[in-house]
Structure formats: structure tokens, C-alpha cells
Amino acid sequence: MKKLLGMTAALFAAFAIAGGMKASATEYSLNVNEEKEFSIIGSDENVIEFKAPKNGAFHIEVVLTDTVKNGKSENYDNISLTTKMSYNYKTMWNLGNINRDAGWVKSPEFCLPAGSTVSLNVKGNFNDCTFKYKVKVVNDGDKYFEKEDNGSAKKATSIKVKKTYSGVINDNEDVDWFVFKAPKAGKYKFSAVNTEDHHGWTSFTGYKSKNKADGNYVGIYNETGWKKIKTVSLKKGQKYYIKVARGYNNNATYKLKVKKVK
């Protein structure tokens, strides 16, 4: 009896190692602004890793180009891919049911620390099907962009007059800080615009110091154009901070600028 149990356990282990008990995962790498074609069988999983760009934000695009079953191209509504983008063990984007009729599917924009590793997990949902798909990571980088990790006043991104800076609020836990150091004494006007392509608003708060808010926040809706945050008088070398936070939606995009008015 013991001998029989031992043989059974050995066969079970060999079966599991050979992949008979679970779907296999294959790892790949992808560069920013590079497009690659991949394939996956059944409910197996592809893990595609890339590095966050040095400047600006990025988004992912995925397209399911073909689904092959029994050697023939088949297209059913219930045959689809699922995708999950993760950073530092946190799910940032999760999307299911990408089928052939969907075309290129685009994620929201994200801004993460330069060079950090991001993973995209792709799975099929049909055991007897081979999925062929393409992935590309697009750098949405403006010349002047927030520098992550700027989630505190201590790590605030420096801004200057006559420059327009862009940023992204990744989710409800993300905040972006900016700091301006007056090159000369005078009055300075801080303005922002919500550039989201869907209904939402984002909050902007001025700070006289790292921990002293200058009144209430200004909530800016999309499609309302540029709005004033604050006009302040500063001495030469004096710093002023702007804190940007999620107001309504995750993945909020915005622009910020400062102008000397007197």
C-alpha cells in the first residue's frame, strides 16, 4: 500500500511539473515606443515587462489580431483576452474581454518613477484556442513634466515661469507636488487646466510652505479651460507650492503654469 501511494505521488508531481495541473506563464520584455507581436495558447499567461520612461507619462495599447482553433481562424464573441497592468504589486489597470472586433484598446495614461518595472499580464479565456495579439507602450512625454516620485512637498517637482508642465494623477492615492522659487520679487499667478477626455475634476491647492495651505483648494472640471489657482506676492528666492490631487476620476491629466504679473 505504501509503495502504491508513493508511485501515485510521484506520478502526480511529474504531471504537475509538466504543466498538466496549471496554466504556464511566459515572460517577455518590451521597450517603450516599441510594438511587438505575441501569441498565447488557451488559458496560459504572458507576462510582459517594461521600464517606465525617463520623462513624461505612458499608456499601453493592445489589439487581438487573430484567434485560431483547430487550425482555422475563428471569431466568436466569447473568445477574448484579459489584461492586467501592475506596478510594485499594485494593480493599476485591469481589463477583460478584448476581442478581435475591438481593434486597438488603449489604457489611461500613467506617470511612474523613471526606470521602474511595470508588468502587463495577458491571458486567454478559451482552452483550445491560440490567441495572436500585439502590444505597444507609448511615451506621452512633454518636455516639461512632473517627476515622480513627487508625492510630498519635500520631493516636489520644480517649475519655472513661462513653462507649461503636465502631470497625471494615477489613482485616488496619488498626489503631485510642485514648487516654484521666485527669481525676483513680485506678483505671480498660478494657473491650471484639466485635460481629461471624460467628465471629471481635479483639485489644486496652493501652499505657503511645505505644510501650510494657502486657503481652500480650487476644483477644475474638464472642458472649462485654464483657471487661476492663486495670485501671490513673493520675495526673491521665496518658495510657493502647488499640490494636485484626484478630485473625481482616477488617471486625471492636467497642465500647470506660473506667470509673473507685476
Side-chain angles (χ1 to χ4, degrees), residues 67 73-77 79 99-101:
T67 46
S73 180
E74 301 281 5
N75 186 17
Y76 303 119
D77 290 340
I79 299 179
N99 55 49
R100 280 170 54 178
D101 295 331

Side-chain angles (χ1 to χ4, degrees), residues 12-251:
F12 185 87
F15 185 58
I17 293 170
M21 297 302 296
K22 61 180 181 178
S24 62
T26 307
E27 294 187 359
Y28 298 95
S29 62
L30 185 65
N31 296 320
V32 174
N33 292 328
E34 178 184 21
E35 179 182 312
K36 271 189 180 181
E37 187 170 13
F38 302 91
S39 65
I40 195 169
I41 299 174
S43 57
D44 286 351
E45 181 179 41
N46 287 348
V47 181
I48 303 166
E49 291 190 342
F50 61 93
K51 302 291 186 183
K54 293 181 179 179
N55 187 57
F58 69 88
H59 72 268
I60 299 172
E61 296 184 21
V62 182
V63 61
L64 180 57
T65 57
D66 200 6
T67 46
V68 180
K69 191 173 184 294
N70 297 324
K72 295 185 352 184
S73 180
E74 301 281 5
N75 186 17
Y76 303 119
D77 290 340
N78 63 333
I79 299 179
S80 61
L81 288 177
T82 62
T83 61
K84 181 178 74 171
M85 192 195 90
S86 303
Y87 162 67
N88 201 21
Y89 301 100
K90 180 180 179 180
T91 299
M92 306 291 289
W93 179 55
N94 200 345
L95 186 65
N97 301 323
I98 300 176
N99 55 49
R100 280 170 54 178
D101 295 331
W104 283 96
V105 176
K106 180 180 175 181
S107 79
E109 286 187 27
F110 298 93
C111 187
L112 298 172
S116 56
T117 300
V118 187
S119 297
L120 179 69
N121 293 53
V122 182
K123 275 186 170 184
N125 74 334
F126 212 89
N127 286 333
D128 298 325
C129 186
T130 297
F131 298 83
K132 297 181 180 180
Y133 64 97
K134 294 180 180 179
V135 176
K136 56 184 174 183
V137 179
V138 181
N139 187 187
D140 303 306
D142 292 335
K143 184 176 181 181
Y144 302 102
F145 216 96
E146 61 158 313
K147 295 291 185 183
E148 288 284 358
D149 177 22
N150 59 343
S152 66
K154 185 178 180 180
K155 298 180 179 180
T157 299
S158 296
I159 59 175
K160 297 180 179 180
V161 292
K162 299 181 181 179
K163 310 293 182 185
T164 300
Y165 295 81
S166 300
V168 178
I169 299 296
N170 296 317
D171 53 36
N172 60 359
E173 296 179 355
D174 185 26
V175 294
D176 295 337
W177 281 82
F178 296 85
V179 60
F180 173 72
K181 185 177 180 180
K184 58 179 68 174
K187 274 192 174 181
Y188 293 88
K189 178 183 176 182
F190 295 81
S191 303
V193 60
N194 185 330
T195 58
E196 296 178 71
D197 59 4
H198 51 275
H199 179 68
W201 67 277
T202 301
S203 70
F204 299 81
T205 309
Y207 275 72
K208 295 179 180 179
S209 65
K210 291 180 181 179
N211 53 15
K212 187 177 181 181
D214 188 12
N216 296 326
Y217 67 83
V218 175
I220 300 179
Y221 283 89
N222 69 320
E223 299 181 351
T224 58
W226 286 92
K227 298 291 182 182
K228 183 181 76 172
I229 304 170
K230 281 286 181 181
T231 298
V232 295
S233 295
L234 299 174
K235 299 177 181 178
K236 181 179 179 180
Q238 186 177 355
K239 294 181 179 180
Y240 194 80
Y241 296 82
I242 300 293
K243 177 184 176 183
V244 189
R246 170 186 180 268
Y248 189 85
N249 294 313
N250 292 342
N251 307 105

